[in-house]
Amino acid sequence: MKDPSDTLPDAEPPRELGDLKRSEAKAYAVGSAAVISSLSQIHSHTNAARGTKALAKLNQKGGFDCPSCAWPDPDGKRAMTEFCENGAKAVATEITDRRVDRKFFEEHSLVELGKKSDFWLNDAGRITEPFLLEEGATHYRPVNWEEAFEVLAEELNACADPDEAIFYTSGRASNEAAFLYQLFVRQFGTNNLPDCSNMCHESSGAALSETIGIGKGTVTLEEIETTDCVLVVGQNPGTNHPRMLTSLEITVKNGGTIISVNPLRETGLRAFAHPQKISGMLGRATPLSSLHLPIQLNGDLALFKGMIKCVFEAGAVDEAFIREYTTGFEALREESESVQWADLVVQSGLSEKQIREAAEIFINAKEAITCWAMGLTQHHNSVEIIRELVNLHLLTGKIGRPKSGLCPVRGHSNVQGDRTMEIWEKPSESFLQRLDKEFGFTAPREHGYDTVDAIRAMHAGKGRVFIGLGGNFLSAAPDTHYTAAALRNCQLTAHISTKLNRGHLVTGKRALILPCLGRSERDEQAAGPQMVSVENSMGVVHSSQGTLEPASPSLLSEPAIICRLADATLGERSEAPWKEFENNYDRIRESIERVIPGFDNFNERLREPGGFYLPNGVKERVFATATGKANLTVNPLSAIKLEPGQLLLQTFRSHDQFNTTIYGMDDRYRGIKNERRVVFLNPDDMKERGIEAEEPVDITSYFGGETRTAELFLAIPYETPKGSAAAYYPEANVLVAIDSTAKISGTPTSKSVIISLAKRNGK
Ligand SMILES: Nc1nc2c(c(=O)[nH]1)N[C@H]1C(S)=C(S)[C@@H](COP(=O)(O)OP(=O)(O)OC[C@H]3O[C@@H](n4cnc5c(=O)[nH]c(N)nc54)[C@H](O)[C@@H]3O)O[C@H]1N2
Ligand SMILES: Nc1nc2c(c(=O)[nH]1)N[C@H]1C(S)=C(S)[C@@H](COP(=O)(O)OP(=O)(O)OC[C@H]3O[C@@H](n4cnc5c(=O)[nH]c(N)nc54)[C@H](O)[C@@H]3O)O[C@H]1N2
Ligand code: SF4
Ligand SMILES: [Mo]
């Protein structure tokens, strides 16, 4: 189903080609090109004074947290520039001088905006005041905040059942905003709190909670830098966590070995030239990974099984650890014996020798850490894959002691904190009891919708109101046209946003844009300037405080928007001190301290430079699982079966984007310029299909007897295993079927889409 594009704004980015220029993939990452790119990004958006002021505070103690990824900052002394190229791009896009104001919306209808690229929409600038789309209107019109909250309260209170409302969160929201939001939603009467994590690290959370009793990583930044072996699996740090390369360079210089497991030889994993060091500026790069395993898409379960076979064979099981701390050993040993190398080789796409080599390094390393991201979490069997990785660490005792453990590298800068604040559709009873007690009400117990269930519910007409706290639900979600139809079924869709995106164009009958302050901006409330808090990938909670002049005087902070929304909607029904919360965020933190474990003396400790670590029992080998032990699990192989002619496609990020925010049209490290509609293919796969380099093709996906098509992509020959293809998200999201989700975690399978390619007739 496609949009009738003349009457409705297009849900998909335009199917148009740019002017592709192609070169070899780069041999090493960062270095001087990155520094030049950072500065030119800032200068293309704002003046030098505003740019310099922002960068001087970025990631500094007492400054503001980088709004891009969740990579941590050093605990100790910090350099003058604790940021990377992509951090600078994220700041540039926030502090831009361009504005989406009333003139902008007078000039552009929604249908017209739908024809613009995602790059163009983001580049239009910061949203300056609230905007309302009336039923049947072609343009947004400005409204004041009072009217905006009236519309929201009216539509929410018209719900026959609170479960008709859906409250999405993207991982940039601060702890304070997230805590208030979940409180408001639960006082309103639902647990419908889907978040971006459902599409991201949900599989990691599910696998880790079950096996080790906490859904988070277990290591610190310093441990990564000083361990003997780091496995980097299914992650492209050079683009998505660039400062991780600084740490990996230190690991290597300290004598550690890096193994990369990735279908692609991502530039960032080959070698790294430090942008802030003279050697880096001159182009002298440190080689990073000493072993690269070019695994087939979805081949990691087989790889980990092979490595586990080697552990048993080498007698490398840590028997004392297994006896004292784990359950399930015998079943795992039996399963490992029954698994055949031939199957592991076929399913991983690696040779037995390659798997043995990785296992030998891992086993012989005194300590080892595994880092991973979306390459492991977005498959139909992701939870099993990650549980198998946990098995490998448990069997060898490489967990819960210094310099050994697990590191799911989180995406959005506060996605982990939002979960800690219980932005979750499946809250625990113990948390709800503490929430009830703090605020004198009874929160709903029935679990709510996750992201995919929320889309299904709206599609089925069971969603009346959709509210997004940040993010771009339409473009981030799978099955773009299905999701668009779901959102269009709502009475009201509303987004709390800094920048314009496609999600503002594909709306319910009415729609609201509620513009908020960004991280870099001063947040002045009745009690004075306010700071917020965030949690990084290593469980460090620290403050973030912006100092720049806000993009417009009409902006409200996220906490203020939520407080006023709650007050307007709930009125007398809520006893929570919304006004006090808005006036002084210390009051929010006092409540957090009483409701969420690990936040004792929150206000005091937040003011300590660098913040504090949240408790993590696994570090002391305390496993808070149902059995009280770490659980070894049996995860049967479950290969994806392809028909002749089919390939597996992963949908991933270019170097010039942050999720659905497109900063530019290039993917420098992969040698792509001026084009996003590309599909990376193994040269033999192209040859077999008679497809020439840069030839336009259509991509068709297959799921459950249905097909979906993404039109007009240029074929790029690339070093990727035969059978494994890649295209950018969000352009390829039309291909991800709504029902194609991971078992247990429900995460869309964005990294293993079954596809075929068709040449475009005569073009
Ligand atoms: N600049 C920038 N930074 C970002 C983001 C951004 O968009 N731009 N997004 C943020 C967010 S929300 C997240 S979640 C993270 C995402 O960080 P990543 O997970 O690094 O992001 P992806 O681009 O999806 O890359 C997935 C990587 O896994 C590999 N891969 C894919 N499938 C498989 C597989 O089956 N097995 C293995 N072993 N590897 C596989 C791909 O080749 C690719 O290198 O980055 C965060 N940081
Ligand atoms: N096919 C495919 N789909 C994917 C993925 C994939 O790899 N492949 N990855 C998935 C992953 S890992 C994730 S995390 C999701 C991301 O999904 P989302 O988090 O929903 O998407 P983003 O693109 O990060 O959201 C960008 C928007 O956030 C708003 N914004 C930016 N800063 C702020 C702020 O400070 N406050 C507020 N209120 N709003 C702000 C801006 O309006 C901007 O347009 O996408 C998922 N979708
Ligand atoms: S590594 Fe991530 S958090 Fe650090 S500066 Fe770069 S983008 Fe920002
Ligand atoms: Mo993510």
Side-chain angles (χ1 to χ4, degrees), residues 72-88:
D73 308 305
D75 286 336
K77 201 166 166 296
R78 300 206 180 153
M80 290 274 285
T81 47
E82 281 293 352
F83 59 85
C84 70
E85 175 192 4
N86 280 341

Side-chain angles (χ1 to χ4, degrees), residues 68-71 84-87 89-90 171 196 199-201 232-242 260-266 269 293-300 303-304 372-379 385 409-413 415 648-661 663 670 720 724-726 728-729 750-752:
S68 193
C69 81
W71 190 251
C84 70
E85 175 192 4
N86 280 341
K89 286 183 200 164
C196 68
M199 299 181 263
C200 183
H201 263 297
V232 183
V233 193
Q235 193 199 346
N236 179 20
T239 286
N240 297 313
H241 304 90
S260 73
V261 183
N262 199 308
L264 309 181
R265 268 181 97 79
E266 299 285 26
L269 290 165
L293 301 182
I295 196 159
Q296 208 155 272
L297 282 176
N298 194 238
D300 304 86
L303 165 69
F304 297 144
W372 73 91
M374 297 305 100
L376 288 196
T377 64
Q378 298 175 332
H379 299 279
I385 296 172
V409 183
R410 305 302 304 251
H412 263 295
S413 55
V415 63
L648 268 193
L649 174 87
Q650 63 155 321
T651 58
F652 64 178
R653 293 153 173 81
S654 78
H655 194 63
D656 267 1
Q657 74 184 85
F658 186 85
N659 298 336
T660 70
T661 300
Y663 303 133
R670 298 193 186 109
T720 174
S724 297
Y728 299 133
Y729 130 74
S750 315
K751 293 291 187 280
S752 44

Side-chain angles (χ1 to χ4, degrees), residues 83-104:
F83 59 85
C84 70
E85 175 192 4
N86 280 341
K89 286 183 200 164
V91 170
T93 203
E94 182 175 299
I95 68 173
T96 181
D97 290 336
R98 289 163 218 167
R99 296 290 178 264
V100 168
D101 51 16
R102 40 180 81 190
K103 190 158 154 280
F104 176 91

Side-chain angles (χ1 to χ4, degrees), residues 28-288:
Y28 66 88
V30 199
S32 49
V35 176
I36 293 163
S37 167
S38 304
L39 298 178
S40 69
Q41 283 285 337
I42 294 278
H43 289 147
S44 70
H45 280 279
T46 190
N47 61 57
R50 191 168 160 90
T52 312
K53 191 171 173 192
L55 291 183
K57 290 283 181 192
L58 179 56
N59 288 336
Q60 296 298 329
K61 293 177 181 174
F64 72 97
D65 183 53
C66 175
S68 193
C69 81
W71 190 251
D73 308 305
D75 286 336
K77 201 166 166 296
R78 300 206 180 153
M80 290 274 285
T81 47
E82 281 293 352
F83 59 85
C84 70
E85 175 192 4
N86 280 341
K89 286 183 200 164
V91 170
T93 203
E94 182 175 299
I95 68 173
T96 181
D97 290 336
R98 289 163 218 167
R99 296 290 178 264
V100 168
D101 51 16
R102 40 180 81 190
K103 190 158 154 280
F104 176 91
F105 280 121
E106 268 165 33
E107 284 171 2
H108 300 287
S109 73
L110 260 65
V111 169
E112 199 189 317
L113 290 172
K115 294 185 172 50
K116 303 289 190 189
S117 69
D118 290 342
F119 169 77
W120 191 96
L121 294 175
N122 176 61
D123 206 46
R126 286 286 298 278
I127 305 161
T128 53
E129 61 185 314
F131 289 97
L132 172 69
L133 182 75
E134 304 273 17
E135 187 165 355
T138 53
H139 293 62
Y140 273 102
R141 71 164 173 88
V143 282
N144 60 37
W145 280 104
E146 287 68 36
E147 195 181 340
F149 290 121
E150 266 168 37
V151 170
L152 282 158
E154 182 196 324
E155 293 289 3
L156 283 169
N157 287 328
C159 288
D161 181 321
D163 290 333
E164 287 178 10
I166 287 153
F167 300 88
Y168 175 68
T169 308
S170 163
R172 200 171 277 182
S174 64
N175 288 336
E176 289 74 7
F179 183 80
L180 293 179
Y181 192 59
Q182 64 78 31
L183 170 64
F184 161 61
V185 171
R186 295 190 165 114
Q187 290 205 325
F188 178 71
T190 179
N191 283 308
N192 284 346
L193 283 159
D195 66 350
C196 68
S197 202
N198 297 144
M199 299 181 263
C200 183
H201 263 297
E202 196 69 60
S203 305
S204 307
L208 296 176
S209 308
E210 181 194 341
T211 54
I212 61 168
I214 187 167
K216 300 182 181 183
T218 71
V219 298
T220 64
L221 186 60
E222 202 191 336
E223 288 177 295
I224 291 186
E225 292 172 352
T226 52
T227 188
D228 306 303
C229 170
V230 183
L231 230 75
V232 183
V233 193
Q235 193 199 346
N236 179 20
T239 286
N240 297 313
H241 304 90
R243 279 192 316 153
M244 181 172 170
L245 300 190
T246 312
S247 293
L248 293 179
E249 186 189 32
I250 299 173
T251 317
V252 170
K253 294 209 159 140
N254 282 332
T257 304
I258 291 165
I259 304 175
S260 73
V261 183
N262 199 308
L264 309 181
R265 268 181 97 79
E266 299 285 26
T267 299
L269 290 165
R270 296 189 204 187
F272 173 58
H274 199 301
Q276 270 113 35
K277 281 194 202 158
I278 295 293
S279 61
M281 294 292 279
L282 295 177
R284 248 175 282 143
T286 311
L288 289 183

